[in-house]
Structures are given as C-alpha cells and as structure tokens.
Amino acid sequence: MAEVHRAIIVGGGPAGMVAGLLFARAGVPVAILEKHADFLRDFRGDTVHPSTLELFNEIGLLGELLKEPHAAIDTMTLNLLGGRYTIATMKHLPVAAPFVAMMPQWDLLDFIAGQGRRYPTFDLRMSTEATGLTYDDTGRVSGVTLASGGTLPARLVIAADGRRSVLRDAAELPLEDLGAPMDVLWFRIPVPAGMDMSDVALGTIDKGGMVVAIPRGDYWQCAQIIEKGGFASIEARGIAAFRARIVEIAPGLAAGIGAIRSFDDVKLLSVALDRLTRWSRPGLLAIGDAAHAMSPVGGVGINLAVQDAVATANILAAPLAAGRDPDPLLAAVQERRWKPTTRMQAIQRFAHQRVIEPMLRGEITRVPFAVRLLDAIPLLRRIPGHILGLGFDRQHVQSPLAKEFS
C-alpha cells in the first residue's frame, strides 16, 4: 500500500517552499512537488519585502538568508517626466531588516530548500509534475496524479502551482477575474564597467511608457510595461525600434542596450489580477498565486504568497502533526487572508486605473500632486513605505517547532 503523506504541496515557488519548511519543522511529513529540475528560471519576482524578511527572523534564519546575494533598498524613487521623486521610505519600520532585499528568486528558493532538508519530514521532489487530482468515494480530494504516471495519496493537497494553477482548475474552484490593462516584457541589460547602478532609477515613467530596472550586481533585470496584448505589434516594428524605445524612456540603459540582440532575449509575462472566491474543498487548499494572482504593481506578489504560507502553517501544522482531520480548518486560511489580499488588490486596481492606463495612453503630462507631495514632505513617505513593506494584517510564525528539533 502506497504511503499516504500528511500533506502534498504542488509547486516549489515561495508559497509552496515556505509552507513546506514550516510544516517540516512542525514535524509534519510533507512532500513538495516541483515540476522543473531546478529553480533557475529568470524573470521571476526578486523583491523580498520587510514583512517576509521578518518571518525569517522569527525562525532564526534572517542572518543566513542575508548572506545570499542581494541589494538592499529602503527608499523608493521614481523618474517621472524627466524629474526624480522620492515617494516611499522603509527605514522607520519596526523590523530587523527595514528594507527590500532584491534577491534573485532562485537564490531564495535554494536557501529555503537547504533549510528544509535539515528536517527528515521535508521531502522536496524536483522534476515531479502533478497533472490532476484523485478523489475518494465521497468526492474528497485524496491525492494527485503525476505526469510520469501513477498517483500520490495525501491527507491534504495544497495547490501552490501559480497563476495558471492546474489543480485549482481540476478542483473547479470559482475564479473571479479582476482584469489587468498591461503585460510586462522582461529582459537583461548589463551594467557598463565603472557605472553606478543607482544612476538608473528603479522605475521610470515617461509619456506613454514605463521601464523598471532591478539591480542584480552586474546587470539590471528590466521590465517594460506594455498595453495588454500589445507584444505582437512591438515585434512587428522590430528589435531596433524596441531598443530605441527603451532608451527613450530610460536613457541610463543606453550603454548596455545592445545586449538585446533579438526578441529571443525578451520574455513576455501576461499579467493577471484575479482571485478565487473559494480557496478550498475537502482535501485541498489553494494558496499564493493559485488563490490570487497579483499585479506586478508594488512587487508584492512574493510577500502575499509567503504570508499565505505562514497562515496555512499557523492554522494547519499542529493539527496535521497530530493526525487530525484538516478539512474543518481549511476555510479559516481564506478567512484570515481574504481581507489583506483584497485590500492589496484594490490598491493595485487603483494604480492600474489612475497610473498605468493613463500612462499607456500617453495622458500623463504632469507630475501627479500625490507624487509631488510625497517628494516634498519626507514624513509622508512612511505611509506608502509601511503599506509596501509590511502589507496588511501581516502574519507572525506561530506554527510549532517539533520537540525533536528544538
């Protein structure tokens, strides 16, 4: 008879890996299934906000995490219509690391995997793709089917398989699409020798365009915000026109723009803003992007996903470790995370409507009053800094550390 795991987590992104680590340290036998052979995929979110760093601090891992390659950003600046404006600061936040760690996601995930392997109940299975669900005679989810054939049974399946979640579709969970007016083009631009990376703002908005440049040591991971469905027309105009447009918006990238040789060097991210109105059914729980896809606005996606993972462990780890039925507790995860998720999505929708859409239409012709006010009054910058840095109703680690590991 096949072993029945207490929990199977499908998806080795931030939500799945953090949930797996917290379950394992609580003594829950957990298998994390990641369909790829490694975590080394570019053009994934890099922003690890203070709320997430504080969670690692709470379990004694912050110092080790910050040994990983990263850049610390505690002040947010924006180039807008030729001027530079300071719009947020996190220096005042009451946490051990009051800054955003710009850390390649593969380094973050490799770090979590390494910490998880310290616990014998942590079973990370790379190159293992879940394709669907299995059910018992009552219709309760009882495990997953695998691309390699066969099944894996589990007491609880956690769908953390991203915004195109196979499992949430298989479970027929109801999805509400909030719409998004843009897509994102990701690409790398090398930093010329002797150039200070701070010479290029994290975000630059000019008439009809926006470019984000995330510092990664010897290159910028860049993003151009484009109109939803607009990539085909950009490709039709050719790579030279694309390079010229990037330099027009962000002149500081000119020296390295030649590294973009063709559209093979440009990756399209189709932006979604959506949420499940019900995150669970008996035997299954969806978290992270599988439960609520976030816009890139504010770079908060990783942190919302990790907060979900912590709430999941806080509510479910001890009962699962004790062998109790998790089903009566599944709705409590959504209840705890619903308000902070919908509030952040409301802010993102507001930004879509008031900033992104007018920018894409070329209608931003003057610096908004709010931006000028934040730049003029440093104390006010703490407000957006607090929202971006800590979010709403942030979680603290309350899941137990099993006695044998203490």
Side-chain angles (χ1 to χ4, degrees), residues 348-359 361 364 368:
Q348 292 187 325
R349 291 185 76 184
F350 180 85
H352 288 174
Q353 294 163 0
R354 298 298 183 92
V355 179
I356 302 298
E357 291 179 8
M359 179 270 294
R361 294 193 297 262
I364 295 182

Side-chain angles (χ1 to χ4, degrees), residues 7-11 19 23 156-160 167 283-287 312 316:
I8 287 177
I9 298 172
V10 176
F23 276 7
L156 174 66
V157 174
I158 296 179
L167 296 194
L284 179 135
L285 172 69
I287 62 173
T312 298
L316 297 175

Side-chain angles (χ1 to χ4, degrees), residues 121-248:
T121 52
F122 183 89
D123 179 13
L124 175 60
R125 303 187 184 189
M126 307 300 289
S127 302
T128 305
E129 181 178 1
T131 56
L133 299 168
T134 60
Y135 303 88
D136 65 16
D137 293 340
T138 69
R140 183 185 186 278
V141 172
S142 60
V144 297
T145 60
L146 302 177
S148 59
T151 63
L152 281 178
R155 194 72 191 87
L156 174 66
V157 174
I158 296 179
D161 51 340
R163 63 186 58 215
R164 296 182 181 86
S165 171
V166 170
L167 296 194
R168 78 177 181 192
D169 292 343
E172 299 181 338
L173 297 177
L175 182 67
E176 178 185 8
D177 187 355
L178 303 176
M182 80 282 201
D183 289 328
V184 176
L185 301 180
W186 287 104
F187 48 95
R188 292 185 182 193
I189 293 183
V191 179
M195 184 174 179
D196 187 341
M197 296 193 82
S198 65
D199 290 345
V200 176
L202 188 63
T204 302
I205 298 178
D206 210 331
K207 294 179 181 178
M210 179 175 181
V211 169
V212 175
I214 299 171
R216 273 193 174 175
D218 60 351
Y219 69 94
W220 288 283
Q221 179 175 302
C222 295
Q224 183 190 15
I225 310 301
I226 66 170
E227 185 179 5
K228 171 65 74 175
F231 186 40
S233 63
I234 291 173
E235 281 189 297
R237 290 193 289 271
I239 195 65
F242 173 76
R243 291 194 295 254
R245 182 62 179 136
I246 298 301
V247 172
E248 181 183 5

Side-chain angles (χ1 to χ4, degrees), residues 91-115:
K91 296 178 181 180
H92 65 290
L93 296 177
V95 292
F99 54 81
V100 173
M102 308 300 290
M103 179 181 295
Q105 192 173 128
W106 56 77
D107 286 335
L108 174 65
L109 298 177
D110 277 332
F111 173 81
I112 298 170
Q115 296 300 321

Side-chain angles (χ1 to χ4, degrees), residues 238-285:
I239 195 65
F242 173 76
R243 291 194 295 254
R245 182 62 179 136
I246 298 301
V247 172
E248 181 183 5
I249 298 170
L253 299 175
I257 196 67
I260 309 300
R261 295 182 175 86
S262 73
F263 282 109
D264 291 338
D265 299 319
V266 180
K267 306 299 181 184
L268 171 66
L269 169 67
S270 180
V271 173
L273 185 66
D274 61 38
R275 60 190 177 225
L276 295 176
T277 55
R278 178 167 50 83
W279 295 14
S280 63
R281 60 175 293 169
L284 179 135
L285 172 69

